[in-house]
């Protein structure tokens, strides 16, 4: 991941509704959710949610798939991995032992 891609992804996540939507889609990975279900779960009007989902999609954080009249959204876990690695790649100046607490926190969630 390069700086521009990371800035785009972080910018997309730097808004409360988009962050909540992304975290919801991560919880429902790999199946994802229909746009209407995301809007309902977050209590956001569907047209507003569509704008937020489009922003996340342009940043490469989610993918969409049309199923008849329904658009299903999925978190792109590969992009999440790349963003996380980009952020911590040079963690602690190459002293792996200093990064162990971070790795320990991430390990149980997966």
């Amino acid at each position: 991941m390069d700086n521009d891609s990371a800035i785009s992804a972080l910018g997309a996540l730097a808004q409360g509704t988009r962050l909540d939507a992304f975290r919801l889609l991560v919880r429902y990975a790999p199946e994802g959710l229909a746009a209407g279900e995301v809007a309902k779960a977050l209590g956001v009007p569907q047209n507003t949610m569509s704008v937020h989902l489009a922003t996340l999609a342009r940043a490469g954080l989610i993918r969409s798939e049309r199923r008849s009249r329904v658009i299903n959204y999925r978190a792109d876990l590969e992009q999440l991995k790349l963003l996380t690695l980009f952020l911590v790649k040079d963690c602690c100046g190459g002293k792996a032992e200093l990064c162990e607490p971070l790795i320990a926190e991430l390990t149980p969630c997966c």
Side-chain angles (χ1 to χ4, degrees):
M1 178 168 282
D2 60 22
N3 278 357
D4 290 339
S5 297
I7 291 167
S8 176
L10 293 169
L13 294 172
Q15 195 279 340
T17 302
R18 289 193 297 266
L19 180 60
D20 290 344
F22 181 71
R23 293 184 73 214
L24 179 66
L25 292 171
V26 167
R27 281 194 299 274
Y28 281 88
E31 295 85 14
L33 289 172
E37 292 177 43
V38 175
K40 184 177 178 182
L42 299 178
V44 175
Q46 287 189 19
N47 59 340
T48 301
M49 183 53 63
S50 292
V51 173
H52 289 305
L53 292 171
T55 300
L56 291 168
R58 279 191 304 277
L61 293 168
I62 64 173
R63 301 281 178 237
S64 64
E65 176 185 5
R66 180 172 285 282
R67 294 182 185 165
S68 184
R69 292 178 40 195
V70 175
I71 300 176
N72 197 60
Y73 287 90
R74 294 185 176 98
D76 188 329
L77 298 181
E78 180 64 20
Q79 282 299 104
L80 176 58
K81 178 184 88 172
L82 292 173
L83 178 59
T84 303
L85 287 172
F86 177 84
L87 292 172
V88 299
K89 183 113 175 145
D90 301 316
C91 179
C92 305
K95 297 176 184 158
E97 67 278 3
L98 298 176
C99 293
E100 287 176 11
L102 172 64
I103 294 166
E105 286 288 321
L106 290 173
T107 302
C109 73
C110 302

